[in-house]
């Protein structure tokens, strides 16, 4: 049981959000209702699509390739239910580091 007033939101989340919203960091806090995603989705797919097009020349040449990558990224996020948080994070980090590919 946590002491009154001490929660993850009031301690960790608030501090991280405060730090990231400083002008020298360059992040902007966005209200959850303004995000282009469903409440149950961890991915903001328009942003993921934009990043895939910007960072991957093979996808930029044929934007339809995003449709081949997104299901795999969704599955990596959803794997947390079966595989646990650490395994899901490792899987996503592998994608982010360019160690994975869709043929």
């Amino acid at each position: 049981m946590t002491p009154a007033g001490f929660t993850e939101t009031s301690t960790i989340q608030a501090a991280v959000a405060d730090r990231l919203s400083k002008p020298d960091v360059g992040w902007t806090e966005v209200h959850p209702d303004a995000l282009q995603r469903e409440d149950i989705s961890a991915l903001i797919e328009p942003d993921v699509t934009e990043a895939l097009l910007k960072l991957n020349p093979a996808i930029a040449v044929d934007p339809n390739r995003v449709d081949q990558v997104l299901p795999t990224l969704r599955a990596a996020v959803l794997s947390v239910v079966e595989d646990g948080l650490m395994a899901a994070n490792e899987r996503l980090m592998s994608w982010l580091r360019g160690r994975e590919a869709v043929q």
Side-chain angles (χ1 to χ4, degrees), residues 28-64:
T28 303
E29 185 175 1
V30 177
H31 191 274
D33 293 338
L35 298 176
Q36 295 179 351
R37 69 177 174 95
E38 296 179 33
D39 288 342
I40 61 170
S41 178
L43 299 176
I44 303 171
E45 292 192 13
D47 291 350
V48 173
T49 298
E50 182 181 331
L52 287 169
L53 292 167
K54 180 179 176 183
L55 299 173
N56 192 314
I59 293 175
V61 169
D62 182 3
N64 292 323

Side-chain angles (χ1 to χ4, degrees), residues 56-74:
N56 192 314
I59 293 175
V61 169
D62 182 3
N64 292 323
R65 291 180 176 161
V66 168
D67 295 332
Q68 296 170 333
V69 176
L70 277 176
T72 307
L73 295 177
R74 284 187 210 111

